[in-house]
C-alpha cells in the first residue's frame, strides 16, 4: 500500500515539476514552503537539478530529510536568500495568509511560484471542499495508517476556498503582480488548479 501511495505521489510530483519547469531554471536555489511529504522537492532535485530547502508547520515528510519547521509566519532566513520560492496548495490552510505571502516576498530575490485551487460559485466551492477533504484529512489519516508519517495532529484543515478574484486581490495587497497565470480547470466542476507566477511590485 505504501509503495502504491508513493507511486501516486511521485506521479503527481512529476506532473507539477513539468508545470513549474519553465520557472525553475537549473541551478536555482529554491525554498518550498508547505513542503508536505517531500515528493515535490525530491523530484525537482532529481529532474530539474535545483537545490531545494523545505519549510513547513508540521513534519509530514516521507521522502528526504524533512522540513525546517516554522510558525507559519516567520522564517529564520535572511532577506533575498532564494532565487525562487514555491507555495503549492498551501494558502487555504494558513490563518495568516498575508504574513505568509509577505515572508515569501522577503526571502525571495526573484519570483514566487504558487499553485492554488480556485473555485467559482457555490457548486465549485462544494467540489473544492470535497477535494480538499480527500487530499487533506483523508490522505493524512491514510498516510498515518500505512506508517508513512508519524502520529501528530492533522495540519490539513482547509480554512477557506479561494476564487480567482480573491487571490488576485490578495496578491496585489501582498505586494505582488501576476506575471503569468496558467489555469488548469477540472472539466465541469468549476474548480481549477491555477499556477501563478508572482513578481514583487517595484515602486
Ligand atoms: C495539501 S499539503 C501540500 C503539500 C505540498 N506543497 C504539495 O503540493 O504536495 C499542504 C501543506 O501546507 C502545510 N501547511 C498547513 N498550514 C500551514 C501554514 N499555516 N503555513 C504554511 N504551511 C502550512 C501543511 O503542513 C502541508 O504540508
Amino acid at each position: 500500500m505504501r509503495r502504491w501511495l508513493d507511486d501516486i505521489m511521485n506521479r503527481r510530483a512529476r506532473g507539477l515539476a513539468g508545470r513549474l519547469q519553465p520557472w525553475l531554471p537549473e541551478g536555482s536555489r529554491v525554498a518550498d514552503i508547505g513542503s508536505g511529504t517531500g515528493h515535490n522537492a525530491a523530484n525537482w532535485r532529481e529532474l530539474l537539478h535545483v537545490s531545494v530547502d523545505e519549510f513547513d508547520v508540521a513534519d509530514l515528510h516521507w521522502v528526504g530529510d524533512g522540513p525546517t519547521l516554522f510558525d507559519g509566519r516567520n522564517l529564520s532566513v535572511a532577506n533575498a536568500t532564494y532565487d525562487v520560492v514555491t507555495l503549492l496548495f498551501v494558502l487555504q490552510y494558513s490563518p495568516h495568509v498575508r504574513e505568509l505571502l509577505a515572508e515569501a516576498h522577503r526571502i525571495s530575490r526573484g519570483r514566487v511560484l504558487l499553485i492554488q485551487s480556485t473555485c467559482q460559485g457555490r457548486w465549485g466551492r462544494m467540489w473544492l471542499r470535497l477535494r480538499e477533504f480527500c487530499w487533506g484529512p483523508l490522505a493524512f489519516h491514510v498516510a498515518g495508517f500505512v506508517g508513512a508519517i508519524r502520529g501528530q495532529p492533522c495540519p490539513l484543515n482547509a480554512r477557506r476556498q479561494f476564487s480567482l478574484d480573491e487571490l488576485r486581490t490578495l496578491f496585489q495587497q501582498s505586494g505582488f503582480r501576476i506575471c503569468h497565470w496558467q489555469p488548469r480547470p477540472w472539466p465541469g466542476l468549476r474548480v481549477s488548479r491555477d499556477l501563478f507566477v508572482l513578481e514583487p511590485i517595484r515602486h
Side-chain angles (χ1 to χ4, degrees):
M1 175 103 168
R2 186 171 166 170
R3 281 254 304 272
W4 179 68
L5 290 174
D6 214 30
D7 283 349
I8 293 178
M9 294 305 289
N10 275 318
R11 217 172 313 133
R12 173 179 177 274
R14 284 195 293 272
L16 290 169
R19 252 184 122 179
L20 296 175
Q21 182 170 24
W23 310 98
L24 287 176
E26 194 170 325
S28 308
R29 188 168 181 206
V30 181
D32 184 30
I33 304 181
S35 51
T37 61
H39 286 87
N40 288 330
N43 276 274
W44 299 346
R45 288 182 194 113
E46 188 190 325
L47 302 174
L48 307 181
H49 310 289
V50 295
S51 73
V52 188
D53 291 340
E54 299 167 64
F55 300 93
D56 210 321
V57 297
D59 184 354
L60 304 181
H61 89 280
W62 78 42
V63 295
D65 293 338
T68 300
L69 294 178
F70 81 114
D71 64 1
R73 291 196 225 204
N74 303 296
L75 291 159
S76 309
V77 170
N79 293 353
T81 296
Y82 292 97
D83 300 308
V84 184
V85 174
T86 55
L87 282 155
L88 272 51
F89 304 103
V90 170
L91 292 191
Q92 71 271 31
Y93 301 110
S94 173
H96 315 290
V97 182
R98 289 225 204 133
E99 288 100 319
L100 185 60
L101 285 171
E103 199 60 352
H105 191 307
R106 184 185 70 76
I107 67 168
S108 174
R109 55 177 165 259
R111 292 177 172 139
V112 173
L113 308 180
L114 211 133
I115 300 184
Q116 185 65 39
S117 296
T118 58
C119 60
Q120 292 174 48
R122 279 174 53 191
W123 185 244
R125 206 165 288 270
M126 190 195 82
W127 278 115
L128 183 51
R129 278 210 186 110
L130 184 63
R131 186 172 186 279
E132 279 171 350
F133 173 75
C134 295
W135 278 101
L138 184 63
F140 176 84
H141 290 297
V142 171
F145 179 72
V146 301
I149 55 173
R150 59 194 167 90
Q152 60 192 300
C154 176
L156 302 176
N157 298 304
R159 292 168 178 270
R160 61 181 294 187
Q161 291 77 37
F162 292 96
S163 69
L164 182 56
D165 282 346
E166 284 166 342
L167 280 184
R168 283 190 173 130
T169 305
L170 183 63
F171 297 152
Q172 196 179 29
Q173 288 171 342
S174 307
F176 289 109
R177 73 175 193 92
I178 300 171
C179 76
H180 181 78
W181 169 60
Q182 181 194 73
R184 182 156 297 178
W186 283 91
L189 298 188
R190 300 175 72 79
V191 171
S192 179
R193 291 146 302 154
D194 295 0
L195 165 64
F196 300 90
V197 180
L198 305 179
E199 281 181 350
I201 298 170
R202 306 204 190 277
H203 297 285

